[in-house]
């Protein structure tokens, strides 16, 4: 092989290497690996979570850094960004025995319900209810219901939100 051919082969391999680098790193953007987030703070790329707000008249007003996360057609909540507020909500309900809470779970008509509940909204609300009951809140103080809302914002097959809280005074208990 002559020197002239060797230079062409070297140029070909340099061209192939640079093209591969450009395609993988610049076009597909796979070279700069981001540090993976911990499960407590995972939010899909490109999704700016709107904060969860839990409000009861003038006596309670909490705003979380994030919101609940659900995969499309899933009932298991990612509560990492709202766990502190849920714990505070449990404390608030235990400190105010006259309060009743309704947890509303939202779902869409395009989601598939693979749970034993009648719809995904109830399944999502029941998971939050079970979390609060596990923190010491009485089962009688929490009810659940669902609501179909086809305008729920799914981003990358992920739902941010999907849960709402409604407070009411139960009034004096008759014994």
């Amino acid at each position: 092989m002559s020197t002239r051919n060797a230079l062409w082969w070297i140029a070909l391999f340099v061209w192939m290497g640079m093209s591969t680098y450009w395609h993988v790193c610049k076009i597909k953007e796979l070279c700069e690996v981001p540090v993976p987030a911990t499960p407590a703070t995972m939010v899909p790329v490109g999704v700016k979570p709107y904060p969860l707000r839990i409000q009861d008249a003038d006596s309670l007003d909490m705003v979380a850094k994030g919101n609940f996360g659900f995969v499309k057609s899933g009932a298991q909540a990612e509560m990492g960004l709202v766990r502190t507020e849920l714990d505070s909500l449990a404390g608030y309900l235990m400190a105010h025995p006259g309060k009743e809470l309704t947890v509303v779970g939202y779902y869409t008509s395009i989601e598939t319900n693979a749970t034993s509940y009648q719809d995904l909204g109830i399944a999502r609300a029941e998971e939050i209810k079970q979390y609060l009951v596990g923190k010491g809140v009485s089962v009688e103080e929490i009810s659940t219901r669902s609501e179909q809302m086809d305008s729920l914002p799914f981003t990358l097959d992920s739902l941010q939100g999907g849960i709402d809280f409604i407070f009411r005074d139960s009034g004096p208990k008759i014994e």
Side-chain angles (χ1 to χ4, degrees), residues 105-109 111 146-154 159 162:
Y106 297 102
Y107 68 101
T108 65
S109 60
E111 292 182 282
S146 66
E147 197 172 306
Q148 182 176 334
M149 184 184 289
D150 287 330
S151 62
L152 288 176
F154 283 95
L159 168 66

Side-chain angles (χ1 to χ4, degrees), residues 112-124:
T112 305
N113 183 13
T115 68
S116 61
Y117 295 100
Q118 64 187 10
D119 57 56
L120 277 172
I122 289 289
R124 290 170 177 163

Side-chain angles (χ1 to χ4, degrees), residues 31-50:
C31 289
E32 294 182 20
V33 178
V35 177
T38 61
T41 61
M42 288 185 86
V43 174
V45 177
V47 176
K48 183 178 180 192
Y50 60 93

Side-chain angles (χ1 to χ4, degrees), residues 43-120:
V43 174
V45 177
V47 176
K48 183 178 180 192
Y50 60 93
L52 171 69
R53 184 173 200 147
I54 303 173
Q55 196 171 19
D56 177 26
D58 296 329
S59 58
L60 177 69
D61 190 9
M62 292 185 291
V63 178
K65 291 180 183 175
N67 211 321
F68 294 99
F70 295 97
V71 295
K72 190 172 187 178
S73 298
Q76 188 172 2
E78 169 56 49
M79 295 185 265
L81 295 173
V82 296
R83 195 169 309 276
T84 304
E85 286 74 16
L86 285 178
D87 294 344
S88 297
L89 175 61
Y92 174 77
L93 290 171
M94 289 186 292
H96 297 85
K99 294 287 182 181
E100 290 183 3
L101 175 68
T102 301
V103 181
V104 182
Y106 297 102
Y107 68 101
T108 65
S109 60
I110 60 172
E111 292 182 282
T112 305
N113 183 13
T115 68
S116 61
Y117 295 100
Q118 64 187 10
D119 57 56
L120 277 172

